[in-house]
Amino acid sequence: MLWREDRPMRIALLGCGTVGGGVYEFVQERTDMEIAYVLSRRPRPELNCPVTSDFSRIVSDPTVDTAIEVMGGRQPAYEYMCAALRAGKNVVTANKQLMSERYGELVQLARENHVALRCSAAVGGGIRWLTNLESTLDMEPVLRVSGIMNGTTNYILDTMTTSGLKFEDALRQAQALGYAEVDPTEDLNGADARRKLVISTNVAFGCVVQEPEVTTFGIAGIRACDIGAARKMHRVVKLMASARLDSGDVACYLEPAMMPQGMHEAAVPENFNLISITGMHIGKQSFYGQGAGRFPTAYNVMQDCLDIRNGLTRFYTDKLRPARVDNSSIMRPYYVRVNGMDRWLQTRIDKMLDCGIITTPVAVSEIHAWARERKLTETGGFLASLR
Ligand code: HSE
């Protein structure tokens, strides 16, 4: 819906939990926006606006310009987003799950209905990452995206590294601070960061990759001795997302990495994210900020609304080329800690450590396939590439 400047932007807030509550508070302080409705299953007498559990009331109200979807999850969020787009309403969402799984379909739907679809808060919490990526694409091709895209796991790795906290205690703290997903398994096994990587990859390369094809290894199996092994090598363990164009296909994977202490990524503390772009002429540029939490995420949602208020009516890219993921040409040495050696690993040992080994350079696709087959995390093992 195009903008009518003689009145505030009328927003339907679908969900008023952690992030939605932050958006609600921000909007109360402004005169250029107003909450037309909050969609909530239960009564919310504390809210100073109409509250309804009937989505059809919202979607049929022609005075609503923009739906902010911050309910999370697949359904009914997917149904509501599609209905809002079809009804000619702009959609701002923080829903990385839907934007990753239904990327092509939702972008296409927004395009057909000539409305804006923005999801800056879905990747990087409060960082204006996707909009910076979009600006870069206006100038030149992007060759690579990489970085730390999950605040919970960064918080855990950082507190284990700097305070010697146990994994379980660090996780509990991250949950108490509101960084973790409802089910923290999705932070720990990399599913959350993988969604952010898929969205970033699709925007960066104008493609559509399928989430299950993205090779992923999380940090659920990490122990203090892995942090110690990295320290002895003057490195720090981080959960790194990486994607680059590779002769038409896309190399795209998420894995723990032991980063040299001098690298920017190694110094990222607490729940912060650091996401980088490598452009043809600009080289590497990095974007840093709080990757999770109520107000940083709500801030990014609000900025998307302001962009729409200023006349923006599109997604970050309109290119939707289907692409295959192929990680076979990227070779790295790996740190591996496993219960019991096997022939594959035996033939790839470069160095023995007190706890684990370093391999000779191995293809990303090969070592991840081996780790899946060995059920490395489930059997208490761990791996991390050496960057
Ligand atoms: N659980 C996510 C994280 C929240 O820790 O990064 C922000 O997407």
Side-chain angles (χ1 to χ4, degrees), residues 96 149-152 179-181 187 192 196 291-292:
K96 49 217 160 176
M149 298 188 178
N150 181 271
T152 302
Y179 303 151
E181 296 301 296
D187 294 297
D192 175 81
K196 297 166 182 170

Side-chain angles (χ1 to χ4, degrees), residues 67-94:
I68 298 181
E69 186 279 304
V70 278
M71 316 167 69
R74 294 187 176 94
Q75 286 292 9
Y78 170 67
E79 187 192 321
Y80 293 169
M81 270 171 72
C82 292
L85 292 169
R86 285 197 186 98
K89 303 192 188 304
N90 305 300
V91 169
V92 174
T93 179

Side-chain angles (χ1 to χ4, degrees), residues 15-261:
C16 197
T18 305
V19 177
V23 171
Y24 179 86
E25 281 190 46
F26 277 138
V27 174
Q28 299 311 301
E29 292 161 11
R30 308 186 63 94
T31 54
D32 57 351
M33 297 178 187
E34 66 188 22
I35 305 284
Y37 300 93
V38 165
L39 181 73
S40 170
R41 272 193 298 254
R42 62 184 172 90
R44 302 289 298 258
E46 76 282 16
L47 302 179
N48 177 27
C49 66
V51 176
T52 179
S53 57
D54 180 5
F55 179 71
S56 65
R57 209 178 131 195
I58 292 174
V59 85
S60 62
D61 183 338
T63 71
V64 171
D65 320 283
T66 301
I68 298 181
E69 186 279 304
V70 278
M71 316 167 69
R74 294 187 176 94
Q75 286 292 9
Y78 170 67
E79 187 192 321
Y80 293 169
M81 270 171 72
C82 292
L85 292 169
R86 285 197 186 98
K89 303 192 188 304
N90 305 300
V91 169
V92 174
T93 179
N95 194 324
K96 49 217 160 176
Q97 185 171 17
L98 277 185
M99 286 310 301
S100 167
E101 290 176 5
R102 304 279 193 161
Y103 181 91
E105 191 184 332
L106 291 169
V107 175
Q108 180 68 21
L109 199 54
R111 195 158 62 186
E112 282 166 15
N113 289 284
H114 312 288
V115 289
L117 171 62
R118 308 296 282 184
C119 61
S120 302
V123 188
I127 309 172
R128 295 299 283 160
W129 154 245
L130 288 177
T131 48
N132 276 291
L133 182 55
E134 179 181 30
S135 306
T136 305
L137 289 166
D138 281 341
M139 278 290 292
E140 62 175 9
V142 168
L143 306 177
R144 186 182 297 228
V145 293
S146 64
I148 296 167
M149 298 188 178
N150 181 271
T152 302
T153 47
N154 199 66
Y155 186 90
I156 293 171
L157 293 171
D158 182 49
T159 45
M160 286 178 80
T161 303
T162 56
S163 319
L165 230 65
K166 282 209 303 234
F167 176 87
E168 293 75 13
D169 295 335
L171 171 60
R172 255 193 299 278
Q173 282 189 5
Q175 286 177 290
L177 288 163
Y179 303 151
E181 296 301 296
V182 181
D183 177 1
T185 315
E186 302 211 320
D187 294 297
L188 302 178
N189 68 13
D192 175 81
R194 175 166 70 174
R195 290 173 186 139
K196 297 166 182 170
L197 175 60
V198 167
I199 299 166
S200 303
T201 301
N202 288 347
V203 173
F205 305 128
C207 65
V208 184
V209 298
Q210 299 305 320
E211 196 182 296
E213 285 189 30
V214 177
T215 304
T216 305
F217 194 90
I219 65 155
I222 195 164
R223 294 204 190 134
C225 67
D226 305 318
I227 301 277
R231 185 176 290 120
K232 280 191 190 155
M233 292 186 278
H234 307 286
R235 290 169 182 271
V236 179
V237 183
K238 294 291 178 188
L239 185 60
M240 289 291 297
S242 312
R244 74 169 199 214
L245 269 184
D246 199 9
S247 14
D249 293 335
V250 175
C252 188
Y253 56 101
L254 181 101
E255 63 183 13
M258 293 187 170
M259 308 299 287
Q261 275 167 3

Side-chain angles (χ1 to χ4, degrees), residues 217 221 336-339 370-383:
F217 194 90
V336 181
R337 178 177 51 71
V338 63
N339 283 323
W370 169 82
R372 269 195 304 277
E373 195 171 309
R374 280 288 308 239
K375 299 195 185 323
L376 193 59
T377 299
E378 297 85 328
T379 55
F382 187 68
L383 65 72

